[in-house]
Amino acid sequence: MASATHLLRIYPVAYTDVTKALLRLIQQDYIALQAWKRVIYSDPFNFTSNWHGSDVCTYTGIYCAPYQNDTTITLVAGIDLNHGDIAGFLPEELGLLTGLALLHLNSNRFCGILPQTLSNLSLLYELDISNNRFVGPFPHVVLSLPSLHFLDIRFNEFEGPLPPQLFEKPLDAIFVNNNRFTSVIPQNLGSSTASVVVFANNRLGGCLPPSIANFANTLEELLLINTSITGCLPVELGFLYKLRLLDVSYNRIVGPIPYSLVGLARLETLNLGHNEMSGMVPEGVCVLPNLVNFTFSYNFFCEEEGVCGNLTSKGAVFDDRRNCVPGKPLQRSEKA
């Protein structure tokens, strides 16, 4: 552990001006990072090769900032080890980094579960542990982080249900895709304030809840690709007036396209492909002013109203293959 003498050389202020509590915070940063270094088993790009000595602010991937209550003191405020290909796990001592606001660990080989001591990180604003090998149920410890606004846990091995409490937190972005989540999409989905929600490639199932209408003031991107969704698309989707991207492809959605979607004036990309939808493709959707990509292939639509039959005429990319539209090429056969 770094001695008080060494630490005071790093932070050149008179001892009488440094409270024991602040000195303890500086020591805690050192203890936490040294504990982490001990449980890193592979570091092919040598991210942590200079993690030695008491001046943690010189460590690769470690970013310091003035302490909120005493600007003569600097503490660890950010960690960025993205794309390090580092193997190891997260030790309990990470909960000592109480000044941490950003933790970015994208694209490594960290495994195991998130330690409960992370609940001590009351200033943590962004947590990105995507593309690792974390396991277990949804990491409930993130629900106890009062300052968290960005959550990215995609491409891991988390499993089980998504907790409804996730959608009660004031998050700006929720990325939980490419895990092993099951059960159903929580009914309080619309309680969230996020602008981006990505559920893709899980096995959540069920229908989109009507509460999604409550997302209207914030939601801009919703990706539900390959999540085992069933039932019809709720008319409440049409209330999401800020929506720019909606992708519900590769599910088991049935029924028609809700006519309420004609109200999505900001919509740029709409993907309904690879479902079991039927009926008419309404022209009101096809003439949305910002629509540039519309995919409704591999369904059972039987009519394309007006300009929907040739969206290239308005400069949009579209895919209507494998439907049941008379006279159009690449449609389903009568036996399909």
Side-chain angles (χ1 to χ4, degrees):
M1 185 175 72
S3 69
T5 302
H6 287 162
L7 290 166
L8 288 170
R9 286 180 188 149
I10 300 167
Y11 305 101
V13 291
Y15 184 74
T16 55
D17 297 328
V18 181
T19 66
K20 291 182 179 180
L22 287 176
L23 184 57
R24 186 162 55 249
L25 291 176
I26 299 169
Q27 292 173 317
Q28 285 178 184
D29 285 354
Y30 176 82
I31 293 169
L33 294 175
Q34 289 303 306
W36 198 3
K37 183 176 173 62
R38 287 193 295 271
V39 293
I40 288 176
Y41 306 123
S42 175
D43 183 4
F45 301 124
N46 296 316
F47 270 64
T48 61
S49 62
N50 71 338
W51 282 24
H52 52 77
S54 54
D55 190 357
V56 297
C57 298
T58 65
Y59 292 7
T60 299
I62 304 301
Y63 301 91
C64 293
Y67 182 61
Q68 56 183 346
N69 295 328
D70 188 335
T71 56
T72 65
I73 302 296
T74 55
L75 298 174
V76 174
I79 298 176
D80 185 353
L81 299 179
N82 284 352
H83 303 282
D85 197 28
I86 299 169
F89 63 90
L90 306 188
E92 297 285 335
E93 287 85 350
L94 288 187
L96 296 173
L97 298 170
T98 53
L100 197 63
L102 306 174
L103 180 56
H104 292 174
L105 305 178
N106 176 291
S107 300
N108 286 285
R109 290 174 287 148
F110 290 113
C111 61
I113 60 176
L114 301 192
Q116 287 300 310
T117 54
L118 294 186
S119 62
N120 296 329
L121 307 184
S122 61
L123 301 180
L124 194 64
Y125 190 88
E126 293 186 9
L127 176 62
D128 181 356
I129 57 169
S130 59
N131 197 21
N132 279 282
R133 299 174 182 176
F134 293 109
V135 298
F138 179 90
H140 281 73
V141 65
V142 306
L143 302 177
S144 64
L145 300 173
S147 300
L148 193 68
H149 278 72
F150 180 96
L151 177 65
D152 190 346
I153 63 172
R154 57 186 159 172
F155 290 97
N156 279 288
E157 300 291 331
F158 294 116
E159 59 190 65
L162 288 174
Q165 300 94 313
L166 174 63
F167 305 103
E168 304 290 342
K169 289 191 65 62
L171 294 170
D172 297 328
I174 302 173
F175 296 92
V176 298
N177 52 293
N178 295 82
N179 279 283
R180 298 184 177 187
F181 291 120
T182 54
S183 190
V184 296
I185 295 175
Q187 290 298 304
N188 68 331
L189 171 64
S191 298
S192 178
T193 57
S195 62
V196 178
V197 176
V198 185
F199 288 152
N201 299 311
N202 283 289
R203 289 290 177 268
L204 295 173
C207 301
L208 278 176
S211 71
I212 199 169
N214 299 329
F215 251 135
N217 292 327
T218 60
L219 192 62
E220 297 180 12
E221 299 183 16
L222 178 62
L223 287 87
L224 296 159
I225 309 158
N226 189 32
T227 51
S228 300
I229 296 174
T230 57
C232 299
L233 291 180
V235 296
E236 287 82 3
L237 277 175
F239 299 166
L240 306 179
Y241 67 95
K242 288 189 175 181
L243 203 62
R244 294 185 295 105
L245 189 159
L246 176 62
D247 193 332
V248 295
S249 58
Y250 291 92
N251 285 292
R252 298 196 301 274
I253 299 170
V254 299
I257 298 174
Y259 194 75
S260 60
L261 298 192
V262 303
L264 301 181
R266 300 185 188 183
L267 195 66
E268 299 171 8
T269 299
L270 176 59
N271 193 342
L272 308 175
H274 292 267
N275 279 289
E276 300 171 18
M277 301 182 72
S278 58
M280 178 181 65
V281 181
E283 185 173 32
V285 173
C286 298
V287 298
L288 287 171
N290 290 294
L291 190 67
V292 295
N293 195 319
F294 185 15
T295 298
F296 51 93
S297 55
Y298 290 84
N299 279 284
F300 297 93
F301 295 113
C302 60
E303 182 181 352
E304 298 171 335
E305 188 178 35
V307 72
C308 296
N310 184 17
L311 279 173
T312 54
S313 64
K314 65 182 293 286
V317 175
F318 82 109
D319 187 352
D320 65 353
R321 293 172 297 156
R322 301 290 291 170
N323 279 288
C324 305
V325 182
K328 292 296 293 286
L330 303 177
Q331 299 296 295
R332 295 180 184 274
S333 66
E334 293 184 1
K335 296 180 180 179

